[in-house]
Amino acid sequence: MESAHAIDMPESKKANGSGKGKAAVGAPAAAVATTKATPHPRGGWKKGVAIFDFVLRLAAIGAALGATATMGTADEILPFFTQFFQFEAQYDDFEVFMFFVIANGLVSAYLVLSLPFSILCIVRPHAVGPRLLLLIGDTVMMALTIGAAAAAASVVYLAHSGNPNANWLPICQQFGDFCQSTSSAVVASLIAAALLLILIVLSAFALRRRT
Amino acid sequence: MESAHAIDMPESKKANGSGKGKAAVGAPAAAVATTKATPHPRGGWKKGVAIFDFVLRLAAIGAALGATATMGTADEILPFFTQFFQFEAQYDDFEVFMFFVIANGLVSAYLVLSLPFSILCIVRPHAVGPRLLLLIGDTVMMALTIGAAAAAASVVYLAHSGNPNANWLPICQQFGDFCQSTSSAVVASLIAAALLLILIVLSAFALRRRT
């Protein structure tokens, strides 16, 4: 019945196109052949994007987990101590670094949980729902990652060079190893954020309506 | 014709219902009515999103400009001085605050330049190009805004409460007004970032293929 409409009125092709797609889901008739004919070149392109998305996601998991672990284990005890206390620098001496560890842990968890959706996008390259979900989730998580990395970076910068105007002295002369691990963690987190940015742009391209 | 169909197939009532409504509005020929029937509600929905996008963009310009101005004019001179120097706190005493001013200025400029594209999306709600461009630009600028705001926030936090482990003393007791302006600037910048986040999600919804 629906296809009869398409023949009667060629200018309403678009409206019936979606109707045909619906028919293809249900019925194994001749209509199936036509629906499969057009999406195939598109589907190949989108499948490639989806696979690339999956690989980038794995890399981002590595970067975020690395950042979390490096920052979480950053710990240095100086080889001298007074009678009353030891000189020790740990990540939880700085609230910002604690936020960094929590944020990067959250991002790692999100990225692991997003892998099934990414696989779903590989299996069904035209599915809009999971891709939109991934795009929104990635955006929020990129904001979290960048925020944590920038906040930690500004403290690492202060630790390196201090601020004479506020009388904050650099501590990296004493705690060199600690500074090095925190700097590496910030760099790893920024890499994770950059990967998430690429993921967002890829999802946006895959979402657009034409091709 | 149309109404006869509606009687023939009660399960396609919805599709024909909208067609009928349009037929009453415009055209003498039944075929024309059906072609106009489907795109119109979509266009209306997308146009609404585009107008909302424009309004949010104006708000984000306000927030970003406010952040830039507040931080750029943050300046406090203490009412006492020694023979050799005056006690003064300015935004350019902290490299992070200089980065903040530059980043927020850039974001404001980008947002102003993006207004024509937003208007283009209102005029042509189905155009994919400008919307994709806006989505990618918004993502990059959101990353910049969040980074600047988070870095400045961590220094503002240190200025407020210091860090006893690193022997960094709080400076807000002396420079209360300076701290207040920098805190406001950070909040304004975070508002701009949140607006950009909403803009990204809106663009993603408007980009997806099916209405």
Side-chain angles (χ1 to χ4, degrees), chain B residues 111-201:
Chain B
L111 283 171
V112 171
L113 290 176
S114 75
L115 283 180
F117 293 96
S118 184
I119 294 171
L120 194 66
C121 282
I122 296 177
V123 179
R124 296 177 56 195
H126 291 288
V128 173
R131 208 174 274 282
L132 198 63
L133 204 71
L134 282 180
L135 176 55
I136 293 170
D138 286 352
T139 309
V140 172
M141 287 299 150
M142 189 198 68
L144 187 62
T145 319
I146 292 237
S154 95
V155 169
V156 166
Y157 177 78
L158 277 178
H160 270 287
S161 58
N163 187 305
N165 301 300
N167 242 332
W168 293 339
L169 296 175
I171 59 164
C172 280
Q173 280 138 10
Q174 289 92 49
F175 296 101
D177 287 352
F178 177 71
C179 275
Q180 205 137 31
S181 354
T182 51
S183 309
S184 321
V186 167
V187 170
S189 186
L190 284 176
I191 290 173
L195 289 173
L196 279 171
L197 184 62
I198 298 173
L199 282 174
I200 293 171
V201 173

Side-chain angles (χ1 to χ4, degrees), chain A residues 102-182:
Chain A
I102 295 168
N104 274 287
L106 269 180
V107 171
S108 310
Y110 160 78
L111 283 171
V112 171
L113 290 177
S114 75
L115 283 180
F117 293 95
S118 183
I119 294 171
L120 195 65
C121 283
I122 297 177
V123 178
R124 296 177 55 195
H126 292 287
V128 173
R131 210 174 273 284
L132 197 64
L133 204 71
L134 283 180
L135 176 56
I136 294 170
D138 286 352
T139 309
V140 173
M141 287 299 151
M142 189 198 69
L144 187 61
T145 318
I146 292 236
S154 94
V155 169
V156 166
Y157 177 79
L158 277 178
H160 270 287
S161 58
N163 187 306
N165 301 298
N167 243 332
W168 294 339
L169 297 175
I171 58 164
C172 279
Q173 280 138 9
Q174 289 91 48
F175 296 102
D177 287 350
F178 176 71
C179 275
Q180 204 137 31
S181 350
T182 52

Side-chain angles (χ1 to χ4, degrees), chain A residues 1-2 5 8-9 11-15 18 42 46 88 92-96 125-129 132 135-136 139-140 142-144 146-148 150-152 154-155 157-159 161-163 165-171 175 197 200-201 204-210, chain B residues 2 5 8-9 12 16 30-32 34-35 38-39 42 46 92-96 125-129 132 135-136 139-140 142-144 146-148 150-152 154-155 157-159 162-163 165-171 175 197 200-201 204-210:
Chain A
M1 266 286 194
E2 285 255 286
H5 269 295
D8 283 348
M9 306 176 281
E11 66 270 39
S12 67
K13 202 181 274 172
K14 205 174 165 191
S18 64
R42 288 188 196 168
K46 292 218 167 173
E88 183 178 3
D92 57 0
D93 289 340
F94 294 86
E95 288 87 350
V96 172
H126 292 287
V128 173
L132 197 64
L135 176 56
I136 294 170
T139 309
V140 173
M142 189 198 69
L144 187 61
I146 292 236
S154 94
V155 169
Y157 177 79
L158 277 178
S161 58
N163 187 306
N165 301 298
N167 243 332
W168 294 339
L169 297 175
I171 58 164
F175 296 102
L197 184 62
I200 293 172
V201 174
F205 268 100
L207 256 186
R208 59 180 187 164
R209 279 165 306 155
R210 281 180 282 171
Chain B
E2 287 257 287
H5 269 293
D8 283 348
M9 308 176 285
S12 66
N16 281 324
V32 178
T34 31
T35 32
T38 20
R42 285 191 199 168
K46 292 217 167 173
D92 57 0
D93 290 338
F94 295 86
E95 288 86 350
V96 172
H126 291 288
V128 173
L132 198 63
L135 176 55
I136 293 170
T139 309
V140 172
M142 189 198 68
L144 187 62
I146 292 237
S154 95
V155 169
Y157 177 78
L158 277 178
N163 187 305
N165 301 300
N167 242 332
W168 293 339
L169 296 175
I171 59 164
F175 296 101
L197 184 62
I200 293 171
V201 173
F205 268 98
L207 258 185
R208 59 180 187 163
R209 279 165 305 156
R210 282 180 281 169

